[in-house]
């Protein structure tokens, strides 16, 4: 009996530690070679990127590619952004404790998890049923108690929880949805790729200071399109 218990404990231990070790080094390499070397400086962002197990946010068959410098397919025709873009958008959002974030386009839940490592609460909206269900389950399994996922059209934001310090849209829109601008908190930031679907888009940041909105062009990106719910 004692022997069996010992073997059981040993196997549980080795499984968790093997999993951790298997990707920890690769993950830290990803942070050093793809993020730090390209100018990501925000400590909280770098810590979150070192911590969140990206390989558990992609389909199992491609887990080994999770830390490569590339976007990856996550099913339902959608993609998880390249690590650098996730880190860049996170840094631009100026995340901090006590902040409240809204994400439009939960996808795999990876960007939500990165934000959740830093901010108080992340509200995330996903329009595709299967992805809303799977990302919510994944985030729960990984222990992210401060992310709330809802299935729906994020064009309208999430008025019940507004205003938000951070609004991050991870799908490309033709123009910035007015409801999202309306849901920015004082001192808040909205980050969104704007442009035509399936082309290069302009990542834009809006800031709201003393009630005034200013716009800044960031980098060029390529995101899947922000789709609209036909009921709206
Ligand atoms: N941030 C995600 C990747 C986003 S891919 C991650 O970290 O994995 C873009 C996602 O936006 C897709 O899952 C797509 O279904 C979703 N999406 C597109 N239009 C949307 C809308 N109007 N409201 C909410 N989600 C939307």
């Amino acid at each position: 009996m004692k022997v069996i218990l010992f073997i059981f404990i040993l196997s549980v231990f080795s499984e968790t530690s093997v999993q951790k070790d298997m990707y920890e080094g690769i993950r830290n390499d990803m942070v050093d070679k793809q993020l730090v070397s390209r100018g990501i400086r925000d400590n909280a962002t770098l810590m979150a990127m070192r911590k969140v197990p990206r390989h558990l946010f992609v389909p199992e068959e491609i887990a080994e590619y999770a830390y490569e410098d590339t976007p990856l397919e996550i099913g339902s025709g959608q993609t998880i952004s390249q690590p650098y873009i996730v880190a860049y958008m996170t840094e631009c959002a100026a995340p901090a404790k006590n902040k409240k974030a809204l994400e439009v386009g939960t996808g795999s839940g990876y960007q939500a998890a990165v934000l959740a490592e830093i901010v108080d609460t992340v509200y995330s909206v996903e329009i595709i049923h299967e992805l809303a269900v799977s990302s919510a389950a994944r985030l729960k399994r990984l222990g992210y108690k401060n992310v709330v996922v809802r299935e729906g059209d994020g064009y309208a934001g999430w008025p019940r929880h507004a205003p938000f310090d951070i609004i991050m849209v991870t799908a490309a829109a033709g123009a910035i949805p007015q409801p999202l601008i309306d849901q920015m908190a004082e001192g808040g930031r909205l980050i969104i790729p704007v442009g035509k679907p399936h082309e290069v888009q302009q990542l834009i940041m809006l800031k709201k200071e003393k009630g005034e909105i200013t716009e800044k062009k960031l980098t060029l990106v390529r995101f899947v399109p922000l789709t609209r719910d036909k009921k709206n």
Side-chain angles (χ1 to χ4, degrees), residues 78-79 103 105-108 111 125-128 131 153-154 170 227:
Q78 305 304 318
T79 51
E103 181 193 26
T106 319
S108 68
Q111 173 72 74
V125 188
E126 170 56 53
I127 202 164
I128 297 179
L131 289 175
D153 184 349
T170 58
T227 54

Side-chain angles (χ1 to χ4, degrees), residues 85-95 101-105 111-112 115 123-124 166-171 180 189-193:
I85 292 295
V86 173
Y88 179 72
M89 288 173 75
T90 306
E91 180 173 71
C92 289
L102 170 72
E103 181 193 26
V104 177
Q111 173 72 74
L115 281 170
Y123 296 92
S124 189
I166 296 167
I167 300 181
M168 195 181 279
V169 184
T170 58
L180 298 183
R189 295 181 178 203
L190 188 163
I191 295 168
I192 180 169

Side-chain angles (χ1 to χ4, degrees), residues 184 188-190 205-209 212-215:
M184 291 174 75
R189 295 181 178 203
L190 188 163
M205 172 161 71
L206 297 188
K207 279 191 197 176
K208 184 170 175 178
E209 276 152 336
E212 249 178 58
I213 309 269
T214 54
E215 181 179 314

Side-chain angles (χ1 to χ4, degrees), residues 9 27 58 109 118 123 190:
I9 290 173
R27 189 160 54 248
V58 301
I118 311 168
Y123 296 92
L190 188 163

Side-chain angles (χ1 to χ4, degrees), residues 33-50:
K33 293 187 184 138
Q34 298 172 36
L35 312 185
V36 176
S37 69
R38 291 188 192 141
I40 303 293
R41 289 284 170 270
D42 180 56
N43 238 331
T45 300
L46 292 171
M47 296 254 291
M49 296 293 295
R50 285 190 197 280

